[in-house]
Amino acid sequence: MRVVFLAPSYPPEMIQYTRGLAELGHEVLGVGDTPPDALPELVKRCLSGYLAVPRLLDEDDVMQRVSTWLAGRTVDRVLSNWEPLVILAARLRARWGLPGMSVDTVMGFRDKQLMKERVAAAGLRVPRSRRVRSEAQIRAAAEEIGFPLILKPIAGAGSADTWRCRSQADLETAINATRHVQEASCEEYIEGEEFTFDCVSIDGRPVYENVAAYLPKPIEMRTIEWISPVIITVRDLEQPRLQPGIELGRNVLKALHMGDGFTHMEWFLTPKGEAIFGEIGCRPGGAHLVDQMNYTSDIDLFREWARVATERTFEAVTPRKYNVGIVFKRAQGQGRITRITGLGDWLRAAGPWAVEEKLLRPGTQRRNWKNTLLSDGHVVVRHPDWAEAHRLSFLAATGIRMYAE
Ligand SMILES: Nc1ncnc2c1ncn2[C@@H]1O[C@H](COP(=O)(O)OP(=O)(O)OP(=O)(O)O)[C@@H](O)[C@H]1O
Ligand SMILES: [Mg+2]
């Protein structure tokens, strides 16, 4: 097949999806804003063609440039696994009459208010919420919903501009801080634990499922710097307390008319054991979540996704062998990393269960932890027993320290 894949090298995990497509023997045409010379070697080898565009998020401009570039060559698929480009991919499919999800369907995965309305219409539990476009609307919605509440952009990502308000004073702060946001969702704050539900689906039916636990909830990961965020994939998906969330997730896919490919859903488990929808994207989770899923079963979901997205088959055998924890570290201090302590002890404690160590090395500039969960690097550890995977993950969270100046 001839496949147009949007953003084949950025974010970096896209490189692996590009590889997956090429390994199946497809002709992969990349469209991105990385200059051709700056493409990673692996991507250059996997692509049969590449169009560099000046503004990748300018949909009309990209559509025109891609059409001109293809100059009548027919295409079989247009795919994207990056949230800001899923609508553009759907628009290109519509223009060329290709199989895949329509713009309207994809909107259900992109617009946080629309998605909740569609999910609620299927009788599923979502936070009560309002779409708000002005200060007056925010105040009116807050009145209706009550505190605590969440104010967040309709097309948000990475918890940017997401505010938890416990009082009127918090709301005033949030209003002031989000004046640049055009459209927001004001919603009931759900107390509880937070999990993912990740799928690869064919025609909306999952051929692969995963649940991961956020420790703590993303809003806390993203607002408290000293925390080392931990995310652990759950080996045992049969356990009773996860069943409401898994069932919710499968029903959400039906409600939103999912087609083929990855989805990444987030959901809350309340203290009473109820599962409540959080949000969903029709693309894989970022921040190495797919690597974690691969380590969970020793599989290659990058390639399996490519198979599903093109041939609509899934061939991997997916025994759940491990709980896989990733621990993101943040250095104390600003500037360049100067030293790392506790890493040797942790690696000895984890022994063969440590599978990745990618902490930024001394001399490297710190990453902005507010912009990327990747922060100053990570370690990955896995274990067949949940308690041991949890212990080793938190041993890295507390025992490994990084410093910068
Ligand atoms: N109604 C809610 N109740 C409780 N917590 C919420 C609610 N809405 C959002 N949050 C918290 O804020 C986080 C970010 O919200 P959401 O996932 O909708 O935004 P996002 O920016 O798309 O996130 P990301 O891209 O990081 O997944 C959630 O993971 C959750 O921890
Ligand atoms: Mg989210």
Side-chain angles (χ1 to χ4, degrees):
M1 283 187 190
R2 185 177 288 144
V3 180
V4 169
F5 187 48
L6 305 178
S9 68
Y10 182 87
E13 63 266 32
M14 295 305 144
I15 298 167
Q16 297 302 323
Y17 299 106
T18 306
R19 168 186 64 77
L21 288 164
E23 281 176 357
L24 296 179
H26 299 308
E27 183 185 332
V28 189
L29 303 179
V31 177
D33 54 7
T34 306
D37 295 344
L39 289 175
E41 278 311 312
L42 175 57
V43 173
K44 283 185 193 162
R45 280 204 302 279
C46 292
L47 292 180
S48 304
Y50 180 71
L51 173 70
V53 296
R55 294 177 308 281
L56 190 53
L57 301 184
D58 180 340
E59 294 184 0
D60 293 333
D61 183 67
V62 176
M63 288 183 68
Q64 197 176 341
R65 286 174 193 271
V66 174
S67 298
T68 309
W69 176 57
L70 287 173
R73 278 184 290 175
T74 55
V75 164
D76 301 295
R77 294 283 185 279
V78 180
L79 305 172
S80 174
N81 271 339
W82 191 34
E83 181 80 5
L85 299 179
V86 291
I87 297 281
L88 172 59
R91 288 183 64 188
L92 286 166
R93 288 194 291 267
R95 170 176 283 194
W96 298 326
L98 301 180
M101 286 151 70
S102 69
V103 173
D104 179 67
T105 304
V106 173
M107 278 306 280
F109 289 86
R110 186 80 179 105
D111 180 309
K112 290 191 190 202
Q113 190 60 26
L114 187 62
M115 83 178 59
K116 283 194 290 271
E117 284 164 13
R118 289 181 180 179
V119 170
L124 306 170
R125 175 74 167 92
V126 303
R128 283 180 296 123
S129 67
R130 296 277 174 280
R131 184 190 297 271
V132 287
R133 294 199 177 91
S134 68
E135 194 174 327
Q137 287 180 355
I138 295 176
R139 291 181 197 285
E143 192 92 348
E144 265 181 68
I145 287 163
F147 297 111
L149 58 77
I150 285 270
L151 187 64
K152 64 187 185 188
I154 286 281
S159 299
D161 298 306
T162 297
W163 293 78
R164 169 169 48 191
C165 306
R166 298 198 179 276
S167 64
Q168 193 66 39
D170 287 353
L171 186 68
E172 299 305 326
T173 309
I175 288 173
N176 271 319
T178 54
R179 290 199 188 280
H180 59 284
V181 175
Q182 303 231 313
E183 248 193 334
S185 169
C186 183
E187 58 187 65
E188 166 195 13
Y189 182 80
I190 307 294
E191 294 290 352
E193 297 171 65
E194 199 171 338
F195 294 90
T196 71
F197 177 62
D198 309 283
C199 293
V200 178
S201 299
I202 299 175
D203 223 358
R205 271 172 292 104
V207 288
Y208 172 84
E209 295 180 338
N210 176 70
V211 171
Y214 285 122
L215 305 161
K217 305 171 47 140
I219 193 168
E220 271 139 27
M221 295 179 175
R222 298 301 194 128
T223 48
I224 310 172
E225 186 175 7
W226 63 262
I227 284 178
S228 296
V230 173
I231 300 171
I232 311 181
T233 63
V234 183
R235 177 189 182 191
D236 176 13
L237 296 186
E238 305 295 317
Q239 55 185 294
R241 72 189 214 109
L242 296 182
Q243 296 323 298
I246 293 173
E247 199 179 320
L248 169 70
R250 291 174 185 159
N251 287 327
V252 165
L253 296 178
K254 284 187 210 146
L256 296 179
H257 301 293
M258 177 59 197
D260 304 332
F262 257 111
T263 48
H264 170 60
M265 182 180 112
E266 295 172 325
W267 58 282
F268 303 100
L269 179 60
T270 69
K272 287 186 183 150
E274 188 190 6
I276 301 182
F277 177 76
E279 63 153 346
I280 189 166
C282 53
R283 43 92 187 166
H288 299 298
L289 187 54
V290 177
D291 293 320
Q292 282 181 272
M293 295 188 235
N294 285 341
Y295 282 127
T296 300
S297 301
D298 285 325
I299 50 175
D300 180 357
L301 284 173
F302 297 107
R303 186 162 27 165
E304 288 311 315
W305 163 81
R307 212 188 295 282
V308 162
T310 55
E311 298 158 14
R312 309 185 80 213
T313 60
F314 184 89
E315 289 184 4
V317 183
T318 57
R320 292 187 78 84
K321 302 200 257 182
Y322 304 100
N323 306 276
V324 180
I326 189 165
V327 185
F328 298 101
K329 299 301 298 184
R330 291 156 181 176
Q332 296 169 37
Q334 303 304 321
R336 289 181 188 280
I337 308 293
T338 50
R339 69 205 161 90
I340 304 175
T341 63
L343 178 59
D345 286 346
W346 182 78
L347 286 170
R348 271 186 294 282
W353 307 116
V355 288
E356 248 183 55
E357 184 271 292
K358 300 231 169 112
L359 301 177
L360 295 186
R361 287 293 170 254
T364 322
Q365 190 69 32
R366 279 198 69 187
R367 293 197 190 109
N368 183 341
W369 67 279
K370 282 257 178 202
N371 290 350
T372 166
L373 189 57
L374 300 181
S375 307
D376 296 323
H378 67 266
V379 297
V380 180
V381 62
R382 66 181 183 180
H383 200 280
D385 298 326
W386 171 263
E388 193 58 8
H390 190 279
R391 185 183 75 83
L392 290 170
S393 298
F394 280 85
L395 195 60
T398 54
I400 301 173
R401 286 178 182 235
M402 299 176 71
Y403 300 87
E405 56 180 57

